[in-house]
Amino acid sequence: MSMRPVGLPEIPEQTVVVARAAFPRGSLAIRVRDHLAEVFVDEPFAEAFGVRGAPGLSPGVLSLVTVLQFAEDLTDRQAAAMAVRAIDWKYALGAELTDTGFDASVLSKFRARLADNGMERVVFDRLLEHCKDAGLVAAGGKQRTDSTHVISAVRDLNRLELAGESVRAALEALAVAAPLWLAGQIDVPEFAQRYGPRVDGWRMPPSQTKRDRLAQVFGQDALALCRAAWADDAPVWIRQIEAVHLLRQVLVQTYIIRSDARGRQVIRKRDADDGVPPGQLRLASPYDADARWAAKGDDLFWMGYKIHLTETCGTLPDADADADADADADAGSGSGSGRMPNLITDVHTTDATVPDVKATAPIQQSLAEHGVKPAEHYLDSGYPSADLITKATQDGIRMVTPVLLDHSAQAKAAEGFDKNAFTINWKTRQVRCPAGRISSHWNPVQQHGTDAIVITFSVLTCRDCPFQKQCTTSKIGRRMLTLRPEELHDNLARARAEQKTDTWKNKYALRAGVEGTINQALDITGIRRARYRGLPKVRLQHAFSATALNVIRLDAHWTTGPLDRARHSRLERLNYQLSA
């Protein structure tokens, strides 16, 4: 399939007449075509399409279909049907009234091509650039970020189900790719009986003894299949099949192979004493190699991914801040007279095990690269660290975020002397305790890959101190402190002191509005459930979801005037905020 860069076709005259008659006030699809036609062009997709072969559908047209699809939360079949029967969609796509559309499978192939070529964010970035040119977003100002969990598009499997289903997935793949080779390696009737239906807990034997035996059978079958695939006489491409490669990983992560007293190899399932891989490496499904199990607090436990959404909040840097003070706390976009819409400026997707603090730097770097770096960045307590706060300050970004408090036993108990009770002399490299005694050792170290300083007081100094019990519970009776380097320590101390003030608390209330954006993304695009498998396609889903939300907010900005508080009910105002 090749591409001829033509962009969105001209709208046929008859289509214009019928669409304007059917929608005298316009519709979302019509206004997107009228205002944003330059966003949906073919040129950015050129690298993903060849120049030879039969010409395919325009990538610009398919990207517009995909955005409208996510804006209305449609399946591929429903989107393809809308392109045939919806007059406003025909207007947006520049199609004749008699156009019969395209097959739904085209959308799946289009997404796969974008994901394979790293073009998940092309449309999102082009829309963001358009909004920059229109003066709707800019560097400086205020932005806020929050994350939410995303459930994968595959079944939840326990470790026993994963072992069996991984063997089944590999057998299914080999039965298509190398049927004759597979028939020469296994007893086909026996394996067909065991792995014909999918492996799930409903078909598992009830007793633990039989389950342990079944786990051993799954392990033996997986080991036999892997040995055959990695044998010297096996074709190299056999082991390159994804399902076979994942089977080998599951085998290593789930089982241990050892020799018994007679020298025979014995395979058994790993238990807690044997150790298991860390969560970020542990496979959770043979059908989605990127999905991971993760937990948040005591109530949330899921398999899948995590998405971080960043949006503008408040006026642009050159706008009158006082005039917009009452509007800053709103979660929606805004109207077309004075208020700027709150637009999503970055969407960042990771696997479920990546903590929020690991996403802070990539998000801020992406904002800077796209020319929308904020002056103030509002985040919750999962995002900051002393290093990140310092680095952001150096880059011109002030992170408005609650930092974690002192974790020492004294600080948690609010009794005795925490770190704030000690006086630090950075020049002499000494620390004075509340009793007026001086530390004996100052040791720069590396802890978890970061610079730190360990301060130690002598046992002789602490032994006869009248405040010893208030200061330390160490068995040897001396106090130790762990500090960050001076600049990081001062920034952290300043942030901890500032977040206790009422001024900071009132300012930080602006961050809460991003919760409305998460809820809007959930209600409109179903963003909390992955539609596709694999991190690249989930990133594509989230990029198009964010684009659809921006389109909806821009449409509200174009069409909705400011609400007259004296003449609109609270229910109307709520409907306006949700639609924005």
Side-chain angles (χ1 to χ4, degrees), residues 264-285:
R264 297 175 302 181
Q265 283 192 335
V266 178
I267 184 170
R268 66 176 180 82
K269 189 178 176 184
R270 287 179 180 270
D271 55 31
D273 295 334
D274 299 315
V276 293
Q280 63 267 29
L281 300 178
R282 194 182 314 158
L283 293 177
S285 170

Side-chain angles (χ1 to χ4, degrees), residues 298-339:
D298 298 329
D299 303 325
L300 181 59
F301 187 58
W302 82 100
M303 182 179 76
Y305 305 90
K306 186 185 291 186
I307 180 175
H308 305 261
L309 292 177
T310 302
E311 67 171 356
T312 57
C313 51
T315 57
L316 294 175
D318 57 349
D320 182 3
D322 293 334
D324 198 57
D326 293 336
D328 273 353
D330 292 341
S333 63
S335 69
S337 61
R339 279 292 309 278

